[in-house]
Coordinates of all heavy atoms in Angstrom, one line a residue:
D499 N 112.9 96.1 94.7 CA 112.3 96.1 96.1 C 111.2 95.0 96.2 O 111.2 94.3 97.2 CB 111.6 97.5 96.3 CG 112.6 98.6 96.2 OD1 113.8 98.5 96.6 OD2 112.2 99.7 95.8
M500 N 110.4 94.9 95.2 CA 109.3 94.0 95.3 C 109.8 92.6 95.2 O 109.3 91.7 96.0 CB 108.3 94.2 94.1 CG 107.0 93.5 94.2 SD 105.8 94.3 95.3 CE 105.8 93.1 96.6
K501 N 110.8 92.3 94.4 CA 111.4 91.0 94.3 C 112.0 90.6 95.6 O 111.8 89.5 96.1 CB 112.4 90.9 93.2 CG 113.0 89.5 93.0 CD 114.1 89.5 91.9 CE 115.4 90.1 92.5 NZ 116.5 89.9 91.6
D502 N 112.8 91.5 96.2 CA 113.4 91.1 97.5 C 112.4 90.9 98.6 O 112.5 90.0 99.4 CB 114.3 92.3 97.9 CG 115.6 92.4 97.0 OD1 115.9 91.4 96.3 OD2 116.2 93.5 97.1
H503 N 111.3 91.7 98.6 CA 110.2 91.5 99.5 C 109.6 90.2 99.4 O 109.3 89.5 100.4 CB 109.2 92.6 99.4 CG 108.0 92.5 100.3 ND1 108.1 93.0 101.6 CD2 106.8 92.0 100.1 CE1 106.9 92.7 102.2 NE2 106.1 92.1 101.3
L504 N 109.3 89.8 98.2 CA 108.7 88.5 97.9 C 109.6 87.3 98.4 O 109.1 86.3 98.9 CB 108.3 88.3 96.5 CG 107.1 89.2 96.0 CD1 107.0 89.1 94.5 CD2 105.8 88.9 96.7
L505 N 110.9 87.4 98.1 CA 111.8 86.4 98.6 C 111.8 86.3 100.1 O 112.0 85.2 100.7 CB 113.2 86.6 98.0 CG 113.3 86.4 96.5 CD1 114.7 86.8 96.0 CD2 113.0 85.0 96.1
E506 N 111.7 87.4 100.8 CA 111.7 87.4 102.2 C 110.4 86.7 102.7 O 110.4 86.0 103.7 CB 111.7 88.9 102.8 CG 113.0 89.5 102.6 CD 113.0 91.0 103.0 OE1 111.9 91.4 103.6 OE2 114.0 91.7 102.9
K507 N 109.3 87.0 102.0 CA 108.0 86.3 102.3 C 108.1 84.8 102.1 O 107.5 84.0 102.9 CB 106.9 86.9 101.5 CG 106.6 88.4 101.9 CD 106.2 88.5 103.4 CE 106.1 90.0 103.8 NZ 105.9 90.1 105.2
K508 N 108.8 84.5 101.0 CA 108.9 83.0 100.7 C 109.6 82.4 101.9 O 109.2 81.3 102.4 CB 109.7 82.8 99.5 CG 110.2 81.4 99.2 CD 111.4 81.3 98.4 CE 112.0 79.9 98.5 NZ 113.3 79.8 97.8
L509 N 110.7 83.0 102.4 CA 111.4 82.4 103.6 C 110.5 82.3 104.8 O 110.5 81.3 105.6 CB 112.6 83.2 103.9 CG 113.7 83.2 102.8 CD1 114.9 84.1 103.2 CD2 114.2 81.8 102.6
K510 N 109.7 83.4 105.0 CA 108.8 83.4 106.1 C 107.7 82.3 106.0 O 107.4 81.6 107.0 CB 108.1 84.8 106.2 CG 107.2 84.9 107.4 CD 107.9 84.7 108.8 CE 107.0 84.9 109.9 NZ 107.7 84.7 111.2
F511 N 107.1 82.1 104.8 CA 106.1 81.0 104.6 C 106.8 79.7 104.8 O 106.1 78.8 105.4 CB 105.5 81.2 103.3 CG 104.6 82.4 103.1 CD1 104.7 83.2 102.0 CD2 103.7 82.7 104.1 CE1 103.9 84.3 101.9 CE2 102.8 83.8 104.0 CZ 102.9 84.6 102.9
N512 N 108.0 79.5 104.3 CA 108.7 78.2 104.6 C 108.9 78.0 106.1 O 108.7 76.8 106.5 CB 110.1 78.3 103.9 CG 110.0 77.9 102.4 OD1 109.0 77.3 102.0 ND2 111.1 78.2 101.7
E513 N 109.2 79.0 106.8 CA 109.4 78.9 108.2 C 108.0 78.5 108.9 O 108.0 77.6 109.8 CB 109.8 80.2 108.8 CG 110.0 80.2 110.3 CD 110.4 81.6 110.8 OE1 111.0 82.4 110.1 OE2 110.1 81.9 112.0
L514 N 107.0 79.1 108.4 CA 105.6 78.7 109.0 C 105.3 77.3 108.7 O 104.7 76.6 109.5 CB 104.6 79.6 108.4 CG 104.6 81.1 108.8 CD1 103.5 81.9 108.1 CD2 104.6 81.3 110.3
L515 N 105.7 76.8 107.5 CA 105.5 75.4 107.1 C 106.4 74.4 107.7 O 106.3 73.2 107.5 CB 105.5 75.3 105.6 CG 104.4 76.0 104.9 CD1 104.7 76.2 103.4 CD2 103.0 75.3 105.0
G516 N 107.5 74.9 108.4 CA 108.5 74.1 108.9 C 109.5 73.5 107.9 O 110.0 72.4 108.1
I517 N 109.7 74.3 106.8 CA 110.5 73.9 105.7 C 111.9 74.6 105.9 O 111.9 75.9 105.9 CB 109.9 74.2 104.4 CG1 108.6 73.4 104.2 CG2 110.9 73.8 103.2 CD1 107.8 73.7 103.0
D518 N 113.0 73.9 106.0 CA 114.3 74.5 106.1 C 114.9 74.6 104.7 O 115.6 73.7 104.3 CB 115.2 73.7 107.0 CG 116.5 74.3 107.3 OD1 116.6 75.5 106.9 OD2 117.5 73.6 107.7

Side-chain angles (χ1 to χ4, degrees):
D499 299 327
M500 194 76 248
K501 185 183 74 172
D502 291 344
H503 178 82
L504 290 172
L505 290 175
E506 289 175 6
K507 293 302 171 187
K508 170 206 166 185
L509 293 176
K510 182 62 178 180
F511 291 132
N512 275 345
E513 179 184 333
L514 295 179
L515 292 164
I517 299 174
D518 184 16

